[in-house]
Amino acid sequence: MATSKARGTRTGNSGEGGEIHQTAAAPDERITTNHGVPISDNQNSLKAGRRGPTLLEDFVLREKIQHFDHERIPERIVHARGSAAHGFFELTDSLAEFTRAKILTEIGVKTELFTRFSTVAGGAGSVDTPRDVRGFAVKFYTNEGNWDLVGNNIPVFFIQDAIKFPDLIHAVKMEADRGYPQAASAHDTFWDFIGLMPESTHMIMWAMSDRTIPRSLRMIEGFGVNTFRLLNDKDEATLVKFHWRPKLGTQSTCWDEAVKIAGADPDYHRRDLHEAIAAGNFPEWEFGVQLLSQKQADALPFDILDATKVIPEELVPIRFIGRMVLNRNPDNFFAETEQVAFLPTNMPPGIDVSEDPLLQGRLFSYQDTQLSRLGTVNFHQIPVNRAKGCPFQNMQRDGQMQTQVFKGRANYEPNSLSEAGEDGGPREDPAGGFRTFTLPMEEAKVRLRSESFADHYSHARLFFQSQTEIEQAHIASAFVFELSKVSLEHVRLRVLSNLLNVDETLARRVADGMNMDLPKASAPAVAPQDMKASPALRIVGKYPVTLKGRSVGILVSDGADGAVIDAVKKAVEAEGASVKIVAPKIGGVALKGGARLKADGQLAGTPSVMFDAVAIVVSTEGCAALMKEGAAIDFAKDAFGHLKAIGFSPEAKPLLDKAGVVADAGVVSLDNKASLFLEPARTRQWAREPKVRTLA
Ligand code: HDE
């Protein structure tokens, strides 16, 4: 047990109250009950005799245990697993023509923010790398009130109307009777729902793409998904879609790699974000908008109120107007990451919603869910949720966990108390307050879906046909993987019959991958149209070829050449990547010449899936020893299978041979120059893929 004489703690549970080193601690240092009573012994409960039963009287014990018993709050029904950081937003280009929201008009002003990334389907303790959509929620603490932009890393959604959300989520989560699978869409009920809901086809194409197995939270795009409105001083409206673009580019893992990371490091993304920020490598995103007038929107061949549709950048370009930098880790996971409550209804004056029926449902849901999660209407007073940079004041009073102490009698409005010299409290601000767009409407009240929402396949086709060959193969293979976990044959057939409306070759590849005959195409509500391909929808070829923000692992052994290790390390770090030394034992190795090299990770717990590229620098004897270690063989084999660059000292060759690594442009001897390894290390070796796996 740790002891601290300065703090006057005891040496242990020695009975008789233990030995007291120092009788008094300074009042601001001593541990107290929740009500401030100083505690003399935090090691022993109060007992009737040294070996006797514990007494009910022990309020110190009861308070501590009772608080602990109530430590958990209900996890989010969706997006339960999340990681977050503080940062700032800075505007670089003003939208004053379109909006009166100061955050979008005041160039150079830095606005504090808190951003939480999440997976959707798994529980709070689930792993970071399942195939899943990632949440991308940003709370800007603007000086006109909080603005919460609660988006995803995919620009479209599964459903068109909020009334289907509980069904979608029930279908994707663990199956109701058996309680599994956790954090996985590869099961009967999810695909049953997808097959029966053709409107989900576009989103499912994205979900089966590599976007849902990101390399890092620092490397995902973000989208507001729903269409919003900007309102200027004259209350004129412009329709808007919001975008986040990572400075490091959008990067993904291989599926096999994601599966292995789940075992090797369930907290892979959380750790990566935390470590990058702690090291001062602050992740950054560009913020962009697609702006369009109602007239432009009306001319599009799809309805911008339908969240299953994407507005191709080639049609309406993104105007980049600012940046977000995440530069501070949370101090306390629960207080901040867990208690943060995002509300799509949080918008400063000048930003407004559209009639998107998905968004309309969200306007109710988030406030409602916070009541069950945080248990009180006063959740806005929790520090991470509290508006900063502007007051929040109104006539709402009382309620559980009220922390404000209001003065005076003014708890209603209007009042004339100020005429009697009392404080009358805050008033409406017709000029500067939030105003809703005046939307002309005169229609029958109906429970119907707009016919303009009926085309379920054109955008799915657009997405698939805009992908590179590599990405198309990954999409087809992801369908095969997921559907092969579906035990109900009629469900697989229904999905295939829908896919036929997207792209016949895709449907055939998926059917072949399952060794099934193709059924007839399902009858679409509206015949799909071919659209002009949108290369912006790709990942491959779009991300920068760089080592910046990446990580390289160097596997070493006793007797390895320190100069080679050093050269690789220096070259890699000069490109902005981090290096970790992996050794058979955590104490490190004795290099050639006797110098010791410390290890950052032990081989069995630090497989190559943790890195973007690897180097293997060993001695002849070291290599012989490693060839008896399954973990060392897997290190090389997986790096090769996951299309990573492998730099090696000539002594490592037998290990590479045993691991089945064959020569190609990404397998580089470090004999000549360490820097030769850099070029392949900056990207994945896509050309190798057909050699290491059969894709659909
Ligand atoms: Fe959410 N969503 N959602 N969602 N959502 C929640 O709110 C909901 C949707 C998104 O890090 C919940 O505070 C409905 C689209 C993110 O805390 C809940 C519908 C998009 C997060 C809720 C949607 C999102 C949530 C659960 C269909 C992308 C995590 C906990 C109408 C634009 C925020 C909570 C965080 C969380 C409801 C659809 C993004 C239940 C009813 C579309 C990033 O209120």
Side-chain angles (χ1 to χ4, degrees):
M1 191 199 76
T3 63
S4 155
K5 291 187 183 186
R7 289 193 158 213
T9 54
R10 294 165 190 277
T11 48
N13 56 354
S14 54
E16 307 286 353
E19 179 199 344
I20 302 173
H21 290 287
Q22 191 177 313
T23 45
D28 62 345
E29 281 196 335
R30 63 196 182 190
I31 192 165
T32 73
T33 66
N34 283 336
H35 304 280
V37 176
I39 293 172
S40 64
D41 183 346
N42 194 30
Q43 322 303 324
N44 301 291
S45 57
L46 186 67
K47 297 178 208 71
R50 189 183 282 238
R51 300 178 59 250
T54 300
L55 299 175
L56 182 62
E57 179 191 327
D58 191 351
F59 63 90
V60 177
L61 171 77
R62 275 189 289 115
E63 183 199 80
K64 185 174 178 182
I65 296 277
Q66 190 164 43
H67 195 277
F68 170 77
D69 291 345
H70 296 260
E71 272 181 6
R72 290 291 169 275
I73 58 172
E75 66 176 31
R76 292 163 174 82
I77 171 67
V78 280
H79 297 267
R81 169 92 189 162
S83 307
H86 296 271
F88 66 85
F89 173 76
E90 185 181 10
L91 193 73
T92 49
D93 180 14
S94 170
L95 293 185
E97 196 188 324
F98 305 102
T99 178
R100 61 193 177 100
K102 292 206 170 71
I103 184 160
L104 298 179
T105 57
E106 293 182 341
I107 292 176
V109 173
K110 287 189 179 166
T111 302
E112 269 186 68
L113 53 76
F114 188 74
T115 297
R116 183 176 181 272
F117 304 105
S118 46
T119 53
V120 179
S126 59
V127 299
D128 274 346
T129 55
R131 177 176 294 283
D132 199 355
V133 178
R134 296 303 186 280
F136 194 128
V138 182
K139 187 182 282 291
F140 304 79
Y141 302 100
T142 91
N143 55 17
E144 297 176 298
N146 288 350
W147 177 27
D148 294 357
L149 184 53
V150 196
N152 280 342
N153 74 329
I154 286 176
V156 291
F157 203 63
F158 289 103
I159 48 171
Q160 297 173 322
D161 190 313
I163 200 166
K164 297 311 297 169
F165 192 64
D167 298 297
L168 165 73
I169 299 305
H170 286 173
V172 72
K173 286 225 167 210
M174 305 170 298
E175 295 192 0
D177 54 351
R178 54 209 74 180
Y180 61 81
Q182 175 68 256
S185 53
H187 60 109
D188 285 358
T189 55
F190 176 69
W191 285 96
D192 187 23
F193 182 80
I194 294 299
L196 291 166
M197 298 285 294
E199 71 200 55
S200 69
T201 312
H202 185 200
M203 177 73 168
I204 204 70
M205 303 298 300
W206 287 79
M208 293 303 107
S209 80
D210 293 348
R211 301 241 178 193
T212 47
I213 42 172
R215 153 68 178 88
S216 161
L217 298 171
R218 299 175 290 132
M219 300 172 194
I220 59 174
E221 291 183 353
F223 304 91
V225 179
N226 303 114
T227 300
F228 290 83
R229 281 194 180 88
L230 298 179
L231 300 182
N232 65 13
D233 284 337
K234 295 184 216 129
D235 282 349
E236 292 161 341
T238 304
L239 295 157
V240 60
K241 291 270 191 190
F242 296 110
H243 295 256
W244 295 107
R245 282 284 155 86
K247 274 279 168 69
L248 295 171
T250 309
Q251 314 265 348
S252 293
T253 55
C254 300
W255 173 238
D256 181 67
E257 188 184 6
V259 169
K260 287 176 174 155
I261 292 170
D265 186 3
D267 309 301
Y268 186 65
H269 285 153
R270 185 176 287 176
R271 190 189 311 278
D272 168 270
L273 182 68
H274 187 95
E275 286 184 353
I277 293 174
N281 297 325
F282 303 138
E284 188 171 333
W285 282 260
E286 282 185 296
F287 182 65
V289 288
Q290 280 177 302
L291 299 169
L292 62 174
S293 64
Q294 188 63 54
K295 211 169 141 207
Q296 274 174 292
D298 292 343
L300 291 171
F302 52 89
D303 195 331
I304 47 121
L305 296 184
D306 172 358
T308 68
K309 304 296 191 295
V310 69
I311 308 180
E313 275 176 55
E314 289 81 358
L315 233 55
V316 180
I318 301 179
R319 176 165 161 187
F320 288 98
I321 58 162
R323 66 185 189 120
M324 167 171 75
V325 177
L326 297 181
N327 58 7
R328 184 161 66 87
N329 281 313
D331 289 316
N332 184 275
F333 184 87
F334 180 83
E336 302 179 281
T337 311
E338 194 58 17
Q339 290 200 112
V340 65
F342 292 95
L343 306 170
T345 35
N346 278 354
M347 289 170 289
I351 302 179
D352 198 3
V353 299
S354 72
E355 297 67 62
D356 173 345
L358 202 63
L359 178 57
Q360 292 283 316
R362 297 180 72 204
L363 302 180
F364 162 72
S365 176
Y366 290 64
Q367 170 78 17
D368 185 48
T369 207
Q370 308 313 342
L371 296 183
S372 95
R373 255 177 24 85
L374 298 165
T376 163
V377 285
N378 291 315
F379 67 85
H380 61 283
Q381 296 181 20
I382 295 172
V384 72
N385 296 325
R386 201 182 287 160
K388 295 178 195 172
C390 64
F392 60 97
Q393 49 195 5
N394 52 42
M395 303 306 186
Q396 292 165 33
R397 292 291 184 271
D398 308 344
Q400 280 179 5
M401 301 304 293
Q402 177 59 258
T403 64
Q404 287 183 280
V405 182
F406 299 102
K407 297 205 168 115
R409 294 192 287 174
N411 59 359
Y412 59 98
E413 193 276 342
N415 68 63
S416 63
L417 296 173
S418 59
E419 288 173 32
E422 295 182 38
D423 182 356
R427 291 286 181 270
E428 300 162 345
D429 178 1
F434 179 89
R435 288 194 302 272
T436 299
F437 176 61
T438 309
L439 182 73
M441 292 185 94
E442 215 174 298
E443 278 203 67
K445 181 160 75 179
V446 293
R447 205 178 266 283
L448 283 177
R449 199 142 326 167
S450 168
E451 276 163 25
S452 56
F453 283 31
D455 176 1
H456 302 320
Y457 295 111
S458 300
H459 280 233
R461 181 179 291 179
L462 165 73
F463 180 75
F464 185 71
Q465 295 183 351
S466 298
Q467 303 299 304
T468 58
E469 263 180 51
I470 297 165
E471 289 163 300
Q472 289 190 341
H474 292 181
I475 291 169
S477 301
F479 270 107
V480 172
F481 178 92
E482 296 262 321
L483 290 171
S484 296
K485 294 253 181 189
V486 169
S487 66
L488 303 172
E489 193 183 349
H490 74 272
V491 169
R492 278 184 249 135
L493 285 169
R494 194 180 289 121
V495 173
L496 283 174
S497 64
N498 289 349
L499 283 184
L500 275 165
N501 292 318
V502 178
D503 184 287
E504 210 185 310
T505 59
L506 170 65
R508 183 159 305 284
R509 288 162 79 167
V510 178
D512 287 350
M514 297 190 288
N515 212 3
M516 286 176 69
D517 292 331
L518 262 183
K520 278 215 303 243
S522 59
V526 166
Q529 307 294 314
D530 286 319
M531 295 171 72
K532 193 159 177 273
S534 167
L537 300 177
R538 299 173 184 163
I539 304 179
V540 174
K542 189 170 148 196
Y543 55 71
V545 174
T546 177
L547 259 172
K548 195 166 165 23
R550 307 293 206 91
S551 170
V552 173
I554 311 182
L555 175 59
V556 299
S557 75
D558 279 334
D561 188 340
V564 177
I565 297 169
D566 224 38
V568 174
K569 192 167 184 294
K570 284 209 179 94
V572 164
E573 284 175 349
E575 295 231 349
S578 61
V579 170
K580 283 201 172 145
I581 301 293
V582 182
K585 294 182 182 169
I586 190 64
V589 293
L591 297 171
K592 190 165 85 181
R596 284 208 74 78
L597 178 66
K598 281 194 189 158
D600 300 304
Q602 190 256 338
L603 175 59
T606 320
S608 63
V609 292
M610 315 297 296
F611 307 110
D612 298 287
V614 299
I616 304 179
V617 185
V618 291
S619 61
T620 307
E621 301 74 40
C623 184
L626 286 176
M627 283 169 71
K628 291 190 219 123
E629 295 293 343
I633 297 162
D634 287 347
F635 192 91
K637 184 167 149 256
D638 278 343
F640 190 70
H642 300 147
L643 318 179
K644 293 171 184 174
I646 303 176
F648 65 99
S649 66
E651 297 85 354
K653 185 78 178 33
L655 179 69
L656 296 188
D657 290 342
K658 186 155 186 187
V661 173
V662 294
D664 68 19
V667 181
V668 180
S669 167
L670 299 169
D671 208 12
N672 311 319
K673 251 172 103 190
S675 55
L676 289 181
F677 163 69
L678 295 181
E679 200 185 319
R682 292 185 194 114
T683 185
R684 271 188 209 264
Q685 306 302 304
W686 295 115
R688 188 192 293 158
E689 190 156 42
K691 278 191 253 163
V692 292
R693 69 182 62 92
T694 310
L695 291 168

